[in-house]
Amino acid sequence: MAAKRLTRKLIDVIAEVESQLRAHYGVTQKELDAWRARATALSHRFPISHMIRIEDLWIDYEVQRDVIHKHIINIMRKWDPRICSPGSACRIMGKPTIYLYDAQHRTIAAGILGFTEIPCAVVETDDPNFPSYAFEMLNDTGVKRLNPGDLHRNALVRYKNGSRDIKVVRARTMQNQFDTVGIDLQDKGSRASDNLRGDNDHFFSHFKYAQKGIEVDESGRVLFEILTAIKDVFPDQFEIDQGVYIGLYELYRINSVAEPLPAGWMKQVLEGIKLTFKSSNLIHAKAKVQWEHVNPGATWSAPSAMSNFMRELYMRNGGTLNLPYHGEGAKMGIEEGNVADGLFPKEQ
């Protein structure tokens, strides 16, 4: 039999949770006191909800995620105004526009269903970044977490509004490299949309890999060189391959404390590999085949596998650069002739 779930006074639950935070979660009394002092010292107060005309609301898609149409359908199908909790919006002081930063889907559903007003709590603020970090705090938990693209877009908005937090500066530097090379940084879902796809022919969809490129070199130079090399050597492939990207990144990373490789080495490596495999996604696919051959049943480790595979293939094709690797135990078998059946084209 399942344990009975009790009805309890919230004040009792609050006291119990506070005690558990101290006992089991490492929260000290000093931290609690500091959080309470900060909260009570704020001049801000809880926003009060009012019925707001939908025609007066705006959505800033530099901050908001894109509409999830199936979510709209589900809300309309099960519509009940009693559980339509108030939306959250803000008005920047001195400006008339009200920006909705939470309840986009509820509000759109209400509008389609014929409602002209929606309950909404409007915050008055002089901080232009408030909608961005409020949206992030409200949405970066739960079933539909913010994805890396949402977080990146929010960071760019904060930079534009004057923030120079290190995370924000890195995001701007990262975006600058993509803009300069002429590659769109966007997820595959946005890329497939005629309304959302970027203007460039080429795109890259792995935000976390892009962030690695900035973390290893905050100037953006390494990220720029990786993107440029892949685009120049494989110009007809419009999606920048994630595997080849992380392979070049890892070769740079594990060599960063050794003697630097010469200028243009990334392009030289890819040109050497292209003698065997003419497309970057084929390099990625063949690396997985060889990985399974030499490491049967092992979990794919992209940085190690791709960098070592690319190094050994480059050497097989006569490459002379002294590329780094992860040690004898990480080799991919090409040097030793332990090659998967059908790995290479028959004519070779």
Side-chain angles (χ1 to χ4, degrees):
M1 180 182 294
K4 184 178 180 181
R5 305 285 289 181
L6 302 176
T7 300
R8 304 179 61 190
K9 289 191 68 175
L10 188 57
I11 195 71
D12 295 334
V13 178
I14 290 171
E16 181 181 290
V17 170
E18 181 179 332
S19 176
Q20 291 171 341
L21 291 178
R22 292 197 195 92
H24 304 296
Y25 294 89
V27 176
T28 66
Q29 186 61 49
K30 183 177 180 180
E31 286 177 311
L32 281 173
D33 290 342
W35 295 340
R36 285 170 178 153
R38 178 187 176 280
T40 55
L42 291 172
S43 60
H44 313 307
R45 295 294 177 260
F46 291 110
I48 299 174
S49 297
H50 302 281
M51 296 301 292
I52 303 293
R53 292 188 306 172
I54 293 176
E55 67 178 37
D56 292 336
L57 296 172
W58 290 73
I59 297 285
D60 183 355
Y61 282 109
E62 285 190 306
V63 172
Q64 277 276 1
R65 63 162 60 102
D66 300 318
V67 171
I68 304 171
H69 295 81
K70 290 183 178 179
H71 192 23
I72 299 287
I73 293 170
N74 192 47
I75 292 172
M76 292 194 296
R77 182 182 291 130
K78 301 177 182 179
W79 180 264
D80 185 338
R82 297 170 298 174
I83 54 175
C84 182
S85 55
S88 297
C90 81
R91 179 190 287 114
I92 306 301
M93 291 179 179
K95 298 182 179 180
T97 308
I98 302 174
Y99 290 105
L100 190 73
Y101 58 81
D102 186 60
Q104 172 187 204
H105 291 88
R106 294 196 299 275
T107 305
I108 292 173
I112 294 174
L113 290 172
F115 293 92
T116 59
E117 294 183 324
I118 198 81
C120 201
V122 181
V123 174
E124 300 275 352
T125 179
D126 59 0
D127 180 2
N129 281 318
F130 178 80
S132 174
Y133 61 71
F135 172 74
E136 187 172 315
M137 289 182 66
L138 284 168
N139 289 279
D140 200 22
T141 56
V143 176
K144 182 61 179 176
R145 294 179 65 90
L146 293 179
N147 63 43
D150 296 324
L151 295 171
H152 177 63
R153 191 168 60 248
N154 268 269
L156 296 180
V157 170
R158 293 184 200 176
Y159 185 92
K160 183 176 69 175
N161 289 334
S163 171
R164 293 301 179 265
D165 178 81
I166 184 62
K167 180 178 72 173
V168 168
V169 172
R170 283 177 177 172
R172 184 64 263 173
T173 303
M174 183 171 81
Q175 187 62 51
N176 288 346
Q177 310 317 307
F178 280 88
D179 292 345
T180 302
V181 181
I183 296 173
D184 294 323
L185 177 59
Q186 61 180 163
D187 63 82
K188 292 184 180 181
S190 298
R191 189 67 181 183
S193 168
D194 290 337
N195 294 327
L196 301 175
R197 65 176 290 132
D199 295 329
N200 293 301
D201 290 334
H202 295 81
F203 80 102
F204 186 65
S205 63
H206 205 309
F207 283 83
K208 290 186 177 180
Y209 278 6
Q211 289 162 357
K212 284 180 178 291
I214 285 295
E215 290 166 2
V216 79
D217 170 33
E218 294 191 4
S219 75
R221 178 185 60 83
V222 171
L223 175 59
F224 177 87
E225 290 178 359
I226 293 173
L227 296 173
T228 300
I230 298 173
K231 182 183 176 185
D232 286 353
V233 176
F234 301 102
D236 296 330
Q237 288 183 257
F238 295 144
E239 180 175 3
I240 301 300
D241 186 81
Q242 299 173 6
V244 172
Y245 173 99
I246 203 63
L248 290 176
Y249 159 85
E250 186 69 0
L251 286 170
Y252 173 84
R253 188 190 69 81
I254 62 177
N255 190 69
S256 59
V257 295
E259 183 178 342
L261 290 165
W265 70 267
M266 294 185 188
K267 188 173 180 179
Q268 186 175 334
V269 168
L270 295 185
E271 287 173 339
I273 294 172
K274 193 177 181 182
L275 295 173
T276 301
F277 300 125
K278 305 304 181 185
S279 73
S280 58
N281 59 4
L282 185 57
I283 296 169
H284 191 173
K286 291 291 188 176
K288 289 186 174 181
V289 170
Q290 182 64 12
W291 171 270
E292 180 60 28
H293 176 69
V294 296
N295 301 290
T299 301
W300 169 254
S301 175
S304 173
M306 289 303 305
S307 61
N308 291 322
F309 181 79
M310 291 164 63
R311 169 185 174 271
E312 292 179 37
L313 185 56
Y314 168 76
M315 293 170 58
R316 176 183 183 272
N317 290 345
T320 58
L321 291 174
N322 184 24
L323 298 176
Y325 65 109
H326 294 81
E328 293 299 318
K331 284 189 173 182
M332 292 288 281
I334 296 176
E335 279 188 87
E336 296 76 20
N338 180 18
V339 176
D341 290 341
L343 183 70
F344 295 123
K346 289 183 178 180
E347 61 269 24
Q348 296 191 13

